[in-house]
Amino acid sequence: MLENCRNARERWGGVSELIDRWLKERQELLVHYCDLSGDNDFSQTEALREKFVRLCEVLVDYVSTGHFEIYEQLVREAKEFNDGGQELAAKLYPRIQETTEVALNFNDRLDGKELSEDELKALYGELSKLGESLESRFEMEDFLIEHLHNAHAGKLASV
C-alpha cells in the first residue's frame, strides 16, 4: 500500500509543475493579447503584423499544450481517482474545443501574409472575439484544474 501511495505521488506530483508552466504560458499569452489590444496605429502595419504573429505563436502553443498535455493528464488523474471527474471532463471538453476552433481560425487569418490597414482593422475585430473566447476557455480550464487536479492534491498529500 505504501508503494502505491509513493507511485501516486510520483505519477501526479509532476502534473502540478506541468500546470504551473502552462499557466505561465497563459500569462505570456495575455501579455501579448493586451499589448495588441492597446495598439491602434494601423499605419504601422509591419510592426502590428509582427505582434499578431507573436501572439499567434504563443496562442497555438498554449492551446496545443492544453489539448495534448494538460487535459490528457487531467483525464488520466480522473480515471485513477474515479470520482466523477471523467464525466465533468466529457461535459467541458466539447466547449473548450469550440474555443480551440476560434483560436486556430484566428491564427489562420494571418497565414504569413502582409496585412493592409483594412485587414488589420478587421483582424482587430477578430481580436476582440478571440479575447471573449479565451476568457471563457480560461474559466473552464480553471474549473477543470480545480475539480480534476486540485481536488486530488489533498488525497495525495495525506498518503
Side-chain angles (χ1 to χ4, degrees):
M1 185 165 145
L2 182 59
E3 186 63 29
N4 286 342
C5 294
R6 190 174 299 129
N7 287 341
R9 268 198 214 114
E10 289 171 3
R11 203 167 40 240
W12 306 122
V15 176
S16 291
E17 292 174 15
L18 182 64
I19 290 171
D20 288 345
R21 282 195 308 272
W22 185 54
L23 293 177
K24 284 182 184 176
E25 285 181 31
R26 179 194 288 183
Q27 187 174 11
E28 181 183 358
L29 173 60
L30 287 170
V31 166
H32 288 289
Y33 179 86
C34 290
D35 184 41
L36 263 169
S37 295
D39 235 332
N40 60 1
D41 183 0
F42 300 115
S43 66
Q44 301 296 315
T45 56
E46 185 55 31
L48 286 176
R49 188 182 92 57
E50 288 175 18
K51 286 183 179 185
F52 273 111
V53 166
R54 184 63 187 134
L55 171 70
C56 287
E57 290 170 350
V58 175
L59 176 65
V60 170
D61 287 347
Y62 179 82
V63 167
S64 297
T65 299
H67 279 284
F68 299 113
E69 294 180 46
I70 304 296
Y71 305 154
E72 197 173 284
Q73 288 290 341
L74 292 174
V75 168
R76 274 194 218 129
E77 199 172 317
K79 284 180 186 176
E80 178 82 16
F81 287 95
N82 195 24
D83 58 3
Q86 288 178 276
E87 293 80 14
L88 176 64
K91 287 179 185 174
L92 284 181
Y93 285 163
R95 293 176 50 207
I96 290 174
Q97 181 59 37
E98 290 173 13
T99 68
T100 298
E101 292 302 319
V102 171
L104 295 178
N105 289 338
F106 183 86
N107 179 65
D108 290 347
R109 292 274 316 247
L110 285 178
D111 197 25
K113 64 181 181 177
E114 298 297 318
L115 299 171
S116 68
E117 282 187 48
D118 288 339
E119 290 170 319
L120 278 172
K121 289 176 184 174
L123 206 51
Y124 266 90
E126 296 296 316
L127 184 66
S128 177
K129 292 176 188 173
L130 174 66
E132 292 170 10
S133 179
L134 288 174
E135 182 179 5
S136 173
R137 179 189 190 97
F138 296 158
E139 288 173 7
M140 289 183 281
E141 290 170 345
D142 290 347
F143 188 82
L144 283 176
I145 291 168
E146 181 65 32
H147 290 85
L148 297 183
H149 180 68
N150 292 349
H152 302 137
K155 293 176 183 177
L156 290 174
S158 66
V159 286

